[in-house]
Amino acid sequence: MTRTRMPFAAPAPRDDAAEVRAAIDRVVSSGWFILGPEVEAFEAEFADATGAAHAVGVGNGTDALALILRALGIGAGDEVITTPLSAAYTALAVIMAGARPVFADIDPARMTIDADAAERAVTPRTRALLPVHLYGQAADMAALERVAARHNLAMVEDCCQAHLATAAGRPVGTIGVAGAFSFYPTKNLGALGDGGAVTTRDPALAERVRRLRNGGQTARYQHEEAGVNSRLDELQAAILRARLPFLRGWTASRRTLAAGYRAGLSGTSVRVPPELDSGHVYHLFVVQTGNRAALQQHLATQEISTLVHYPTPIPRQRAFAASRPAHCPLADTACNELLSLPLYPGLDDVDLQRVVRAIGEFQEV
Ligand SMILES: *Cc1c(COP(=O)(O)O)cnc(C)c1O
């Protein structure tokens, strides 16, 4: 029997292909490519979908985070407390803003930043908490909000893996002062290139991000402050508008697939993540095993693609050598044991059962 290789993700348009092509054609024939009607319409539609008062399209998720921090006046001499277990871009954004990332260990059940550890990391220089809603599940926002309130810290949410997720019923990106979203092609809502957005209820903050993304201009050729060039382009905005109406359905598919994995993998050698919030949108389905290399190899021989999110805690990356030494033993363990299984809308049940079977067989070898 020849088996086709099962991809890890499937970012090419599928059920949305006709709408995406129509959107591309519309922009190409319009002849207008930067900051125009598509970006404006997408901002309104994305704000509506996420429950935020304002959304501002930017170049990518990293810039979304950095621009939020800059717009809040957080920079040189300031500290931002974040998680060691995320895409390094979360912490790179803090450095881009001129501030210093400080790492607080994870809650090993939720895999997101632990509120007590975050509180222990607070110093007189701390200005913000930057939790990541990792793998599609919200961080423990109620506990983090108490820490933020006690120490007068801004709460900035990294929602790059959590489009439409909720935290105890509250939409992510509307809980803190602002949320950062990425539309990298493999995210739950992906562009066909880079893209990002900032959500906020604060009109002044939205306006400042709008200005910063466009060179700090208040009017054409009037640079009020030293901004950056980080605009969502018209083509990506039109593509995102075409895909946004599919997002609820895709999210439901992700949740169904996760339930299938959960049922199929119980009783196998891997530990299945607890679902601590029904607002989990399963950007990734990540299992834990003390025997990761062998399991990953076993799945590879069965033509099943897996990835590791993430192999190295951010503070252990050389790029962060200058940051305060971080003691994050739980993140260290997680990084050695986590394995992400294929999960994307369009993964069918036959493929899912193939993964489940392969993992079931693994414990017998
Ligand atoms: C993808 C991602 C980012 C960065 O987004 P880009 O659009 O690639 O810049 C930041 N944080 C998290 C948690 C991500 O998953």
Side-chain angles (χ1 to χ4, degrees):
M1 188 179 90
T2 53
R3 255 193 291 227
T4 51
R5 196 181 71 85
M6 194 187 305
F8 180 76
R14 298 172 309 275
D15 46 343
D16 56 330
E19 285 85 348
V20 167
R21 282 207 183 275
I24 293 170
D25 288 344
R26 185 169 76 236
V27 175
V28 168
S29 49
S30 81
W32 192 272
F33 303 112
I34 300 291
L35 293 184
E38 300 290 348
V39 170
E40 258 176 54
F42 174 67
E43 289 177 341
E45 289 158 14
F46 191 66
D48 194 53
T50 55
H54 307 277
V56 182
V58 297
N60 53 68
T62 309
D63 283 353
L65 287 166
L67 291 175
I68 291 167
L69 295 173
R70 279 194 62 181
L72 290 169
I74 295 173
D78 297 331
E79 294 177 353
V80 175
I81 297 173
T82 192
T83 174
L85 183 63
S86 180
Y89 293 95
T90 303
L92 289 173
V94 176
I95 291 176
M96 283 166 62
R100 194 220 293 240
V102 171
F103 299 95
D105 210 355
I106 57 168
D107 158 357
R110 206 179 275 261
M111 294 290 167
T112 55
I113 191 168
D114 180 79
D116 294 331
E119 185 153 35
R120 287 194 295 275
V122 172
T123 75
R125 292 174 182 274
T126 310
R127 296 283 311 280
L129 295 182
L130 174 43
V132 177
H133 304 308
L134 196 70
Y135 308 147
Q137 181 160 253
D140 185 354
M141 294 307 285
L144 290 166
E145 281 175 303
R146 288 192 289 273
V147 175
R150 275 197 289 274
H151 302 278
N152 194 25
L153 308 174
M155 179 88 79
V156 177
E157 300 174 69
D158 182 335
C159 308
C160 291
Q161 301 188 358
H163 313 67
L164 300 190
T166 54
R170 294 182 296 169
V172 301
T174 69
I175 302 164
V177 59
F181 289 83
S182 166
F183 306 119
Y184 183 84
T186 57
K187 301 293 161 97
N188 288 26
L189 177 63
L192 305 188
D194 279 311
V198 170
T199 57
T200 182
R201 80 179 69 79
D202 179 347
L205 187 68
E207 212 35 58
R208 181 117 192 248
V209 171
R210 225 176 268 289
R211 184 163 89 187
L212 284 169
R213 77 172 171 187
N214 197 26
Q217 293 180 88
T218 45
R220 186 183 290 216
Y221 307 131
Q222 300 251 322
H223 294 266
E224 200 61 35
E225 61 179 324
V228 297
N229 180 350
S230 183
R231 300 171 298 229
L232 179 65
D233 65 65
E234 287 283 283
L235 196 54
Q236 299 305 339
I239 291 165
L240 290 165
R241 290 185 70 197
R243 304 190 106 178
L244 184 56
F246 290 86
L247 184 55
R248 289 219 174 266
W250 291 341
T251 301
S253 301
R254 287 178 180 276
R255 287 190 50 78
T256 302
L257 290 164
Y261 271 139
R262 201 174 286 290
L265 295 175
S266 77
T268 68
S269 62
V270 299
R271 264 174 294 148
V272 169
E275 182 177 286
L276 297 170
D277 194 312
S278 61
H280 194 329
V281 297
Y282 291 98
H283 173 58
L284 296 170
F285 193 87
V286 181
V287 297
Q288 243 178 306
T289 167
N291 208 359
R292 179 175 68 201
L295 177 58
Q296 192 168 27
Q297 180 55 35
H298 170 76
L299 294 175
T301 62
Q302 314 252 329
E303 304 289 332
I304 295 167
S305 309
T306 58
L307 287 174
V308 173
H309 298 92
Y310 294 87
T312 307
I314 304 174
R316 289 198 183 278
Q317 300 274 3
R318 197 200 287 273
F320 295 89
S323 68
R324 181 136 44 91
H327 183 63
C328 299
L330 298 171
D332 286 336
T333 301
C335 287
N336 289 329
E337 296 188 342
L338 297 169
L339 187 65
S340 306
L341 306 180
L343 186 149
Y344 46 88
L347 180 78
D348 64 26
D349 196 55
V350 174
D351 283 341
L352 184 137
Q353 293 308 332
R354 201 174 116 196
V355 180
V356 165
R357 231 178 5 259
I359 293 175
E361 285 159 16
F362 173 69
Q363 57 197 336
E364 291 145 30
V365 301

